[in-house]
Amino acid sequence: MDPILDLARPSILRNPYPSYGRMRETGPVFWHELLGSWVLTRHADCLAVLTDSNRFASDWRRAGEDIPAPLLSVQTLDPPEHTAIRHLLLDGFRAQDRRALHDDLEGQIADLLAELAGRPSFDLVGELAEPIALRFVTAFLGVPAPELDWFVPMSRTVVDGMDAGLWPEKHEPAVAARAQLAEYAGGWLADPPKGGLIAYVAEHAADSGVAETVLRNSLRAVLHAGYESASRLLGNAAAALLTTPGALDAFRATPATAVDELIRYDAPVQADARVCVTDTELGGVTMKAGDPVTLFLGAANHDPLRFDHPTELRLDRAPNPHLGFGRGAHACLGASMAIRLTGSVLGTLATDHPGARAVAEPEHRRNLTLRGLDRFEVCLRPDTGEEVRP
């Protein structure tokens, strides 16, 4: 039995956190032969790596790797090259009227939930989380939303490629999908909209010093990461609320802290990777320059050394220093937006549809790096029978 490959077994995929706990207890830092990587499971060790780009690189070219052009973006570059593109995007984020965007989206959320409430049941993933997330991120970018039937399979191919260290056959399709999405995003710059993040980037690109390829890839990353993070967070969070007795009521009482706890409890981003660029001692082992390092952020978010009663969903937990959106130079650009969107959807669900319930167990996609649901059948009417629990 392999402790990491076992995470893909359906019984463990449903709840990987006990398995993470066993890894932490057996050896919180260990070498995994199949991955060819050090694996970290403690909060302190993961935080140390995330916040030290001098010793641990996101840009694997610093360790001599040949990185395909479609993979060079704000997600994979390190300072100082990373600084210019991150500042351009952050300035673009700050220039947007986010309140107006959220106000408009909240009306759409209420209308969609009201429509779905008339059905006996519906798939919360495909009919709520995915379309709302895509509308949200493209509205922020200032461009029309692509067709879900085209975008979702391509996006999932990119996510599948994040697990290519375990399943190498997923790598090439993911690189091709990234390139296609980058080409799609590049079309926005050729004919930019009048508003949104794309308009800002197009106006300021010439003075940014950012290469066009990196710019195009980074806009692709904003589209893809924004959509996947938001849609998977919505699915995971809704599943936690609707399968934990009393959680939906508790959400109404603690909206200020609840979303952060839902992220900690079952975060979309379960793993991240860096490469060691100088010999380093961490967690009692010596990592050599060139050694890959895999951070199990899902395990770190359930570390009892950092969180009291980590297996419990405590919606009033504060402070909550989870690593669900990373830390350091590569912390998620749109974290505050994803939190706001999730709060809006779940707040409307809890307030307008207090009888919402699961009618089947959540079905998870076979992804280990980016955790999310494949399907989750729910009903917004009060339950007349026994509630479904995982």
Side-chain angles (χ1 to χ4, degrees):
M1 295 176 64
D2 183 284
I4 295 180
L5 283 176
D6 278 355
L7 294 172
R9 293 170 55 190
S11 59
I12 297 179
L13 194 62
R14 190 178 302 119
N15 178 14
Y17 301 105
S19 295
Y20 287 149
R22 287 189 289 273
M23 290 183 206
R24 251 193 334 266
E25 293 165 6
T26 303
V29 180
F30 64 94
W31 179 261
H32 189 263
E33 287 294 339
L34 180 58
L35 282 177
S37 172
W38 292 103
V39 175
L40 310 183
T41 58
R42 287 187 299 211
H43 186 281
D45 295 333
C46 289
L47 181 61
V49 172
L50 289 172
T51 54
D52 189 351
S53 59
N54 291 323
R55 294 187 299 169
F56 298 98
S58 293
D59 188 345
W60 290 54
R61 295 176 302 175
R62 291 172 59 193
E65 295 284 339
D66 183 19
I67 304 301
L71 300 184
L72 297 177
S73 74
V74 67
Q75 292 178 317
T76 60
L77 296 174
D78 283 327
E81 204 175 354
H82 170 267
T83 306
I85 179 61
R86 185 174 178 88
H87 281 181
L88 176 62
L89 293 174
L90 277 175
D91 289 344
F93 270 67
R94 294 177 182 129
Q96 306 311 306
D97 187 348
R98 284 173 282 181
R99 175 172 292 182
L101 174 67
H102 280 288
D103 288 346
D104 180 62
L105 193 70
E106 284 183 351
Q108 297 182 44
I109 291 167
D111 290 345
L112 181 53
L113 282 170
E115 176 189 335
L116 295 170
R119 301 191 197 174
S121 69
F122 66 95
D123 173 23
L124 184 139
V125 177
E127 297 181 86
L128 178 63
E130 290 179 343
I132 283 293
L134 189 58
R135 286 184 209 175
F136 179 69
V137 70
T138 51
F140 183 78
L141 290 167
V143 296
E147 292 294 328
L148 279 167
D149 290 345
W150 173 80
F151 180 78
V152 171
M154 191 174 306
S155 182
R156 289 183 173 185
T157 298
V158 173
V159 174
D160 290 345
M162 296 176 184
D163 293 333
L166 295 174
W167 300 290
E169 69 277 6
K170 298 179 181 291
H171 176 69
E172 290 301 329
V175 171
R178 279 191 175 94
Q180 191 169 348
L181 284 175
E183 183 178 354
Y184 175 73
W188 299 333
L189 294 176
D191 184 20
K194 294 182 180 180
L197 179 65
I198 301 299
Y200 181 93
V201 169
E203 181 181 352
H204 295 86
D207 299 326
S208 68
V210 179
E212 183 179 349
T213 300
V214 171
L215 186 59
R216 190 168 58 246
N217 292 342
S218 296
L219 292 176
R220 180 267 306 160
V222 171
L223 169 66
H224 178 258
Y227 162 77
E228 285 289 355
S229 296
S231 63
R232 290 177 185 246
L233 173 55
L234 279 171
N236 294 353
L241 287 184
L242 297 182
T243 60
T244 303
L248 197 60
D249 291 335
F251 184 92
R252 286 194 296 272
T254 57
T257 58
V259 175
D260 268 321
E261 173 64 355
L262 288 163
I263 296 168
R264 182 205 68 82
Y265 185 72
D266 199 17
V269 181
Q270 292 280 297
D272 203 354
R274 297 290 190 270
V275 60
C276 191
V277 293
T278 185
D279 291 0
T280 299
E281 185 173 339
L282 183 68
V285 304
T286 299
M287 301 175 182
K288 300 292 186 181
D291 283 353
V293 183
T294 300
L295 319 176
F296 273 176
L297 303 182
N301 286 335
H302 282 241
D303 186 350
L305 294 177
R306 193 64 186 87
F307 301 97
D308 292 334
H309 305 284
T311 61
E312 297 178 10
L313 181 65
R314 296 187 169 188
L315 296 178
D316 60 349
R317 188 185 298 270
N320 198 335
H322 64 77
L323 303 179
F325 286 117
R327 293 287 182 87
H330 288 276
C332 178
L333 285 166
S336 62
M337 296 171 59
I339 290 171
R340 178 78 178 270
L341 173 64
T342 302
S344 295
V345 174
L346 299 180
T348 303
L349 183 70
T351 301
D352 295 355
H353 307 279
R357 57 192 174 87
V359 298
E361 289 189 355
E363 300 173 21
H364 289 83
R365 289 193 59 77
R366 190 171 176 261
N367 297 129
L368 302 187
T369 299
L370 203 58
R371 178 172 170 79
L373 303 183
D374 192 38
R375 185 175 182 84
F376 183 32
E377 199 72 14
V378 304
C379 176
L380 300 186
R381 302 171 182 174
D383 193 3
T384 57
E386 186 174 342
E387 189 175 13
V388 176
R389 300 174 188 171

